[in-house]
Amino acid sequence: MIIILMGPPGCGKGTQAKLISKSRGIPQISTGDMLREAINDETEIGRRSSFYMDKGLLVPDELILNMIKERINKKDCDSGFILDGFPRTVNQAEALNKMLDEMNKKISAAIYIDVPDEEIVERITGRLVCVLCGKIYHKKYNPPENNEKCSCGGYLIQRPDDRQEVIRQRLKLYREETGPAIEFYSKRKLLEKIDAAGLSIDAVHQRISKILNITS
Ligand code: AMP
């Protein structure tokens, strides 16, 4: 089962990807998480990506596509995977199709979690991420039990690109670049849209599970 999670920044892709990964036993592949890890580890990819990420811009395809190709060819992806934050452009969607063709694999569904802009800004500015395990919290909607720390003991921080001024740039890029990629899957009858305005994490997860039960 190969699932693509799409939607604006802050729509809950990461949280939902983790839930599906747990319930279906397939890995979550988040390009954003992989890049942040590369920055922490001070690798060449990390050094080259941070310039773009800090400004809310897209990291060049040559870096992203190599990283994805290597990852989806790993053994733990044999029975499927969840893509979170990739593809983000039509060019990336076409490149993914080519990679999957070569592997003789097919996309099961592209799930589009739609949330209006006003809600996005509120969600992103309240978002907290664990520096150790990557678990995502929200100051208001999903607060940590211990005020400052994750359940694993790690410190919770605000992502540098979750600042107000960077969010606007990310939303603009999302409309310009990812909008056409969503259309790409709609035309191929692979798109399943969820109107997630005001919905809880649980409610969105239930809708996704229903879609996956039908498509699998
Ligand atoms: P995310 O965690 O998915 O919101 O991604 C954080 C940042 O990583 C984005 O704002 C981009 O700078 C970069 N990024 C993540 N995924 C991609 C991608 N598929 N293509 C280009 N840049 C990406």
Side-chain angles (χ1 to χ4, degrees):
M1 170 177 275
I2 297 175
I3 302 152
I4 299 174
L5 281 185
M6 306 184 91
C11 72
K13 291 188 295 288
T15 302
Q16 295 299 335
K18 284 185 177 61
L19 291 173
I20 311 169
S21 167
K22 212 168 158 195
S23 65
R24 305 269 158 169
I26 51 176
Q28 166 198 13
I29 301 179
S30 156
T31 39
D33 285 351
M34 290 167 88
L35 294 170
R36 280 183 286 276
E37 213 175 292
I39 292 173
N40 281 342
D41 295 347
E42 297 180 358
T43 66
E44 178 62 21
I45 291 185
R47 268 189 291 278
R48 291 176 63 190
S49 303
S50 62
F51 170 84
Y52 300 94
M53 292 173 76
D54 287 349
K55 296 180 179 60
L57 300 172
L58 291 182
V59 171
D61 278 355
E62 56 162 310
L63 295 178
I64 298 285
L65 296 178
N66 282 336
M67 196 172 79
I68 281 286
K69 191 165 188 179
E70 209 174 283
R71 181 65 189 88
I72 65 177
N73 273 290
K74 290 206 167 138
K75 192 101 197 86
D76 65 337
C77 290
D78 279 358
S79 49
F81 48 87
I82 307 148
L83 291 169
D84 153 20
F86 176 90
R88 255 178 160 91
T89 62
V90 170
N91 191 44
Q92 290 183 1
E94 281 168 348
L96 175 66
N97 268 0
K98 204 163 152 235
M99 284 178 215
L100 293 177
D101 277 350
E102 282 166 15
M103 296 166 80
N104 225 347
K105 289 186 172 176
K106 274 202 164 62
I107 295 163
S108 316
I111 299 176
Y112 166 31
I113 307 174
D114 192 21
V115 176
D117 279 10
E118 320 86 74
E119 208 175 309
I120 289 296
V121 176
E122 198 196 2
R123 285 186 188 211
I124 296 190
T125 47
R127 176 155 69 180
L128 295 168
V129 185
C130 173
V131 289
L132 285 185
C133 71
K135 190 168 171 184
I136 304 160
Y137 293 87
H138 189 281
K139 286 177 192 164
K140 189 166 150 196
Y141 301 115
N142 182 26
E145 277 172 29
N146 169 342
N147 250 343
E148 283 161 37
K149 284 191 174 174
C150 175
S151 52
C152 80
Y155 278 104
L156 299 173
I157 56 154
Q158 184 184 43
R159 274 170 43 179
D161 59 344
D162 277 353
R163 286 169 292 133
Q164 283 267 9
E165 62 277 21
V166 186
I167 296 170
R168 266 182 256 287
Q169 171 59 33
R170 287 168 64 200
L171 277 172
K172 181 171 172 274
L173 253 183
Y174 167 74
R175 273 186 225 102
E176 292 170 359
E177 301 281 355
T178 311
I182 290 171
E183 196 49 38
F184 178 94
Y185 291 113
S186 173
K187 276 190 198 143
R188 286 159 181 78
K189 308 264 177 274
L190 284 169
L191 197 76
E192 300 283 349
K193 183 178 169 186
I194 297 175
D195 181 4
L199 290 189
S200 67
I201 293 173
D202 252 15
V204 176
H205 179 59
Q206 276 174 28
R207 290 189 195 194
I208 294 179
S209 298
K210 213 166 147 190
I211 293 168
L212 298 185
N213 287 341
I214 297 166
T215 49
S216 63

